[in-house]
Amino acid sequence: MTDFAATGQLLGTVVAVQANFYRVQLDQKQGEIREMGDRDSHLPYPPLLLCTRRTRLKKIGQQVMVGDRVVVEEPDWAGGRGAIADVLPRHSELDRPAIANVNQILLVFAVADPPLEPYQLSRFLIKAESTSLDVLLCLNKSDLISEQEQQQVSDRLLAWGYEPIFISVKDGINTDQAGRYLSDKITVIAGPSGVGKSSLINTLIDSAKLRVGEVSGKLARGRHTTRHIELFELPEGGLLADTPGFNQPDIDCIPEELIYYFPEARKRLAVASCRFSDCLHRDEPECVVRGDWERYEHYLEFLDAAIAHQTQLHQQADPESSMKLKSKSKGKGQSQYEPKLESKKYRRISRKTQLQDLQELYRDEE
């Protein structure tokens, strides 16, 4: 194992990316830093350095993401600066949000104000399942509904395959319980705006101080208050990533894989198999998935979206499917693709055709 301290290098985690600068939280303890000649021993533990990326990493196209484990060299303790010399291998990577080495997703929804929408929740759950990470579901504002209503929601989600944690950031209900699930892990918090994500982070981490937005009365949706991705250190260990809010995650998975993002469908497929290996579980004979489970209608809608997305990708990969090759200028050998016009929709009828139609009309009248 490389002795980074002996080589004057440090290990750390990228907790924020701003333009071409990276905030890195170092692993080393203060005692180790003093042994390396730190004259500013008053720096907080663990120290944060504002780093740049070495030119060598730029040349090889090595991207540095939030959550990356990095090697930092030539630290300037007085100026709080450093340089990222290398990026360690990632064990996981998300595209949206762009973050590395995540262990789990904390999905936060509200049971009221805004009201819980099963279709929207299902869509977020499918997107979370597609990452292959563990999914933790927290339902905020539980103080606004009765215990009986909580039980009804809990029973419904258990049938989906999820055991939710009911919390109330406002009244401090079960927030400590939710925090224990985040210890010693990198967690991404996600969910629609206005459900209390930023308020939950502010409760778990006093130093976060994120902006909190009100819920829009017209649409019963929250205003987006998060602007960029940032990792916050949890008091009991671990890092929590707040991500820019979005209302409807894209369904961009492969259609054949979509069914495996439904825990209730996975149970059926674990004990039986469909007749056809490429079954899409719509109207195929001897399908073991198609049935009366609640989210089956959600599956069919998401499947249509996944097929549409796949079709669009194929058209982009094969320009001739929706484009035609046309010579740009005669004699020069230049050509380019242009969109094909749909017949009888955008084409203007020629005068010759119009004249023929009139002649036929006169003959019919005679």
Side-chain angles (χ1 to χ4, degrees), residues 2-14 24-38 43 46-51 68-77 80-88:
T2 305
D3 186 357
F4 292 101
T7 60
Q9 296 176 320
L10 305 169
L11 280 176
T13 302
V14 178
V24 179
Q25 177 178 290
L26 300 181
D27 293 351
Q28 276 72 12
K29 298 179 181 179
Q30 280 187 338
E32 295 176 353
I33 294 174
R34 291 194 189 98
E35 292 175 4
M36 294 171 60
D38 178 22
L43 288 175
L48 286 169
L49 293 181
L50 186 63
C51 298
D68 268 332
R69 298 284 293 159
V70 296
V71 178
V72 177
E73 60 185 12
E74 298 182 7
D76 173 14
W77 302 113
R81 300 298 183 100
I84 295 176
D86 201 3
V87 178
L88 302 186

Side-chain angles (χ1 to χ4, degrees), residues 52-67:
T52 56
R53 179 177 53 162
R54 287 296 192 200
T55 304
R56 179 183 66 84
L57 297 181
K58 296 180 182 179
K59 288 182 178 179
I60 64 175
Q62 176 63 64
Q63 182 186 13
V64 180
M65 302 170 61
V66 171

